[in-house]
Amino acid sequence: MAFISWALLLFLAQLHALHFTSRAHRADGGGNLTHLPAPFLCHLDQAKALLQLKNSFFFGRSTTTLPSWQDGTDCCLWEGVGCDSSGNVTVLDLNNRGLSSYSLDPSVFSITSLRYLDLSQNDFSGGRWAIRRTVWSENIPATGFENLDLLTHLNLSNSALYGQVPIGIGRLVNLISLDLSGDCYNGIRDMNTCNGLGVPNFDTLLSNLSSLRELYLDGVDLSSSGAGWCTSLATSVPHLEVLSLADCGLSGSIHKTLSRIQSLTVINLQQNHDIPPNRFPEFFMDFINLTELRLSHINFEGWFPSRTFQSKNLRVLDLSNNPDLSGHVPNFSNASCLETLRLHGTNFSSLKLTSYSSFKSLKDLSLDGNLIFVEYLSSLGSLGSLFQLGLVLESASQLKPIFSWIGDHKNLTSLTLVGCNFSMTAPSSVGNFRFLRSLNMVECNLPRTILSAIGNLMDLQTLEIVSCTTHGSLSSSFGNLKNLRNIYIDLCALSGPMTAAIGNLTNLRNMHINGGGFSGPMPAAIGNLTNLRNVLIIDGGFSGTMPSAIGRLTNLKTLEIHDAYIGTIPYAIGQLKQLTWLDLAGCNFSGSIPSSVFNLTKLTKLDLSYNSLRGKSITNFFLLHAYTFIREFFRVQNLPFQSY
């Protein structure tokens, strides 16, 4: 029990200091902030509310600690805060700061003068989404939003918020833009801050929002909206310009009542798999202001209309992954404006090739099936602006001529290849695309020669290999990719050890390996990757001992390894002093937790579960958690922490 007594005494000692420091900061006895000499623009009660909000955050993975937010200074000059001429806080913009909290603190609801509130791309789950991705607990306040009745812009997207969308949001009659999106469909790299929100009654949410111009609810559960969701939109938000409801579980058909909202410029309904199979809504072609139309994965079938899109400003058309949608490639009234055209996963065929010669602005093109042949691609014009190309190749005979065409487009920087059987083409083909900065290969057959040829892509910055059949491991030529910043290997059975040449990739920032199929120990050369920020290895296949050279990765912030057999935790891990996230669950570690772990003073998560740690290590484990908790408690109170 000695270690429990130690932790308790430490907590009580620091609590004593808290008592006297708090009194010094509240000399007026009324609980109001002091040390705010006139004439400051900021109102004292609003400064107090903002400081309470700051105290709800912890900053282990953040890009800022909000250093300007200090008692005794003008809050109108604080980072992310804006005021009107009377000193009322009207803007609070903490977008993408990487802040963490266990919920949205209700103090924000007392700042009733707010007109613009953006807390997006932060984590209000305190990391719980990353720890238990299948367990949601509500952390969005059920009441309070109705107090902010002056709000015109509210953005809580991608902030790890769970629960029912509060009724109060539907009472914000001045809202112009509402963004609660947080789609988890983008994969494991984006899952830490995706939202888990639901709307029990779509009509109730929209009924008072007639001023709304932008509505982003991507990933919000709207399955209860039934067949009337289009009517709800047309009735309640008749002046809407941006409609984004991707992956919302919509189950009703796209109804013609939506055509009443002629102001629409952006329509994004992709990934709504439960919309009943139906024909493409022809009225979409009549929206004269349309700039983006994203309709992938929503069960279109039948023949595509032969009409022309009336909008002369259409920049994005995505009809991909509607396999029963057939007909000819769409017609455009102004093809020279189009920047993105995605038709892969459809059953389109080409027509009148010479009529498609004006796609001079096209930057992003994805095709498959009947559309992938050189004559058709050439008919699109010179494509001098094209930098991103995605091809789903169904026939081995397509590879050589298409690869020759790609080689002539040296402005191309990003290439995605799906279903390529590289055993049927020249081994060096990919290696000729030296202008590429991003290469993504999905469900491809990759012989050893192709894996070696990738090493010729000297300008490559991102490499993704997903669900591919491989014949060999990463060759030593990978060491040539000295500009590589991101490598993602998912569900590819690479055989053999990881090459020591990996140590040459000194610009690498992110390494993600899931089901890599490597064998043998992790190479000590990994210690050369001193610019690494994030490492995630799940079932990488490594065995042996984790190399002590890992201690040289002094810029590492996240280290997460699971399902490995790598001996003991090296003492050198304590050198990773920038580490905020250490998760080594299920690695078959044995022995004790090294005392050097106590050097990791920035840790906000430590998970060593499902290992064979025993004896004194368990005591150390408890003490570390007590130490970290107490240190964090006093940090948010803006007090010095003394290690006794």
Side-chain angles (χ1 to χ4, degrees), residues 18 25 49 78 88 92 138 149 215 243 271 322 377 383-384 401 435 459 514 550 581 611 623 635 640 642:
L18 172 64
H25 279 259
W78 292 354
N88 297 302
L92 179 57
E138 290 197 15
D149 55 1
L215 179 61
L243 174 63
Q271 298 281 1
N322 289 293
L377 290 171
L383 301 182
F435 40 81
D459 291 334
N514 179 20
I550 204 166
W581 193 274
N611 288 292
L623 289 177
R635 185 203 59 73
Q642 299 178 8

Side-chain angles (χ1 to χ4, degrees), residues 329-518:
V329 171
N331 293 309
F332 305 95
S333 57
N334 183 14
S336 63
C337 187
L338 201 68
E339 297 177 0
T340 297
L341 178 60
R342 295 177 181 169
L343 301 176
H344 64 275
T346 64
N347 197 27
F348 280 118
S349 59
S350 61
L351 178 69
K352 298 180 182 178
L353 300 180
T354 56
S355 68
Y356 294 97
S357 58
S358 56
F359 288 80
K360 61 182 181 181
S361 299
L362 201 62
K363 299 176 181 179
D364 182 347
L365 175 65
S366 65
L367 304 168
D368 68 357
N370 297 327
L371 299 178
I372 300 182
F373 53 95
V374 171
E375 291 79 10
Y376 175 71
L377 290 171
S378 299
S379 75
L380 297 175
S382 62
L383 301 182
S385 298
L386 191 69
F387 68 85
Q388 184 166 314
L389 177 64
L391 300 175
V392 182
L393 297 163
E394 299 176 353
S395 171
S397 62
Q398 296 173 303
L399 286 175
K400 288 185 180 180
I402 290 298
F403 277 25
S404 177
W405 180 88
I406 293 173
D408 294 334
H409 289 74
K410 294 184 169 52
N411 50 305
L412 198 65
T413 60
S414 177
L415 177 62
T416 297
L417 299 171
V418 180
C420 288
N421 184 359
F422 281 102
S423 63
M424 303 298 292
T425 188
S428 61
S429 53
V430 171
N432 292 333
F433 306 152
R434 301 190 180 192
F435 40 81
L436 288 179
R437 294 185 180 180
S438 175
L439 176 61
N440 183 1
M441 295 183 290
V442 181
E443 297 179 357
C444 293
N445 182 49
L446 304 178
R448 191 183 302 271
T449 48
I450 289 293
L451 291 172
S452 179
I454 291 172
N456 294 332
L457 308 180
M458 304 290 194
D459 291 334
L460 206 64
Q461 295 182 6
T462 297
L463 175 63
E464 298 194 36
I465 305 175
V466 180
S467 299
C468 290
T469 301
T470 56
H471 305 275
S473 189
L474 302 181
S475 70
S476 59
S477 66
F478 265 73
N480 299 331
L481 306 179
K482 295 183 180 180
N483 290 307
L484 200 66
R485 289 174 172 262
N486 309 291
I487 183 168
Y488 305 107
I489 300 174
D490 281 308
L491 303 176
C492 295
L494 295 164
S495 57
M498 175 181 281
T499 175
I502 195 91
N504 295 339
L505 310 183
T506 53
N507 282 306
L508 202 63
R509 300 296 195 274
N510 300 291
M511 177 187 291
H512 171 124
I513 299 173
N514 179 20
F518 292 104

Side-chain angles (χ1 to χ4, degrees), residues 240-409:
L240 200 64
E241 297 173 8
V242 177
L243 174 63
S244 193
L245 303 180
D247 187 29
C248 286
L250 296 172
S251 56
S253 297
I254 301 173
H255 195 269
K256 194 172 182 178
T257 53
L258 204 59
S259 66
R260 286 155 41 189
I261 314 179
Q262 283 294 307
S263 52
L264 282 170
T265 62
V266 173
I267 301 174
N268 180 8
L269 301 175
Q270 62 190 0
Q271 298 281 1
N272 281 292
H273 306 275
D274 295 328
I275 290 180
N278 214 325
R279 293 181 177 275
F280 177 85
E282 195 167 335
F283 66 84
F284 280 165
M285 307 181 86
D286 296 324
F287 287 115
I288 60 174
N289 298 309
L290 201 61
T291 61
E292 294 186 25
L293 183 59
R294 301 179 185 271
L295 301 171
S296 65
H297 289 281
I298 53 174
N299 299 317
F300 286 144
E301 62 181 11
W303 200 261
F304 192 83
S306 58
R307 295 179 49 202
T308 298
F309 279 98
Q310 296 304 300
S311 174
K312 296 183 182 300
N313 299 308
L314 190 62
R315 295 185 295 103
V316 177
L317 177 63
D318 186 352
L319 300 172
S320 62
N321 294 296
N322 289 293
D324 296 322
L325 183 62
S326 56
H328 298 301
V329 171
N331 293 309
F332 305 95
S333 57
N334 183 14
S336 63
C337 187
L338 201 68
E339 297 177 0
T340 297
L341 178 60
R342 295 177 181 169
L343 301 176
H344 64 275
T346 64
N347 197 27
F348 280 118
S349 59
S350 61
L351 178 69
K352 298 180 182 178
L353 300 180
T354 56
S355 68
Y356 294 97
S357 58
S358 56
F359 288 80
K360 61 182 181 181
S361 299
L362 201 62
K363 299 176 181 179
D364 182 347
L365 175 65
S366 65
L367 304 168
D368 68 357
N370 297 327
L371 299 178
I372 300 182
F373 53 95
V374 171
E375 291 79 10
Y376 175 71
L377 290 171
S378 299
S379 75
L380 297 175
S382 62
L383 301 182
S385 298
L386 191 69
F387 68 85
Q388 184 166 314
L389 177 64
L391 300 175
V392 182
L393 297 163
E394 299 176 353
S395 171
S397 62
Q398 296 173 303
L399 286 175
K400 288 185 180 180
I402 290 298
F403 277 25
S404 177
W405 180 88
I406 293 173
D408 294 334
H409 289 74

Side-chain angles (χ1 to χ4, degrees), residues 57-65 97-101 123 534 556-558 577-581 600-605 628 631-632 635-636:
F57 294 131
F58 47 96
F59 302 96
R61 308 181 81 177
S62 64
T63 60
T64 179
T65 59
R97 300 302 206 278
L99 303 167
S100 295
S101 180
D123 183 359
N534 303 289
L556 202 62
K557 293 187 175 182
T558 301
K577 296 185 179 180
Q578 299 302 314
L579 211 58
T580 62
W581 193 274
L600 307 180
T601 57
K602 294 186 177 182
L603 275 186
T604 61
K605 178 187 178 182
T628 303
R631 175 173 47 81
E632 181 62 20
R635 185 203 59 73
V636 299

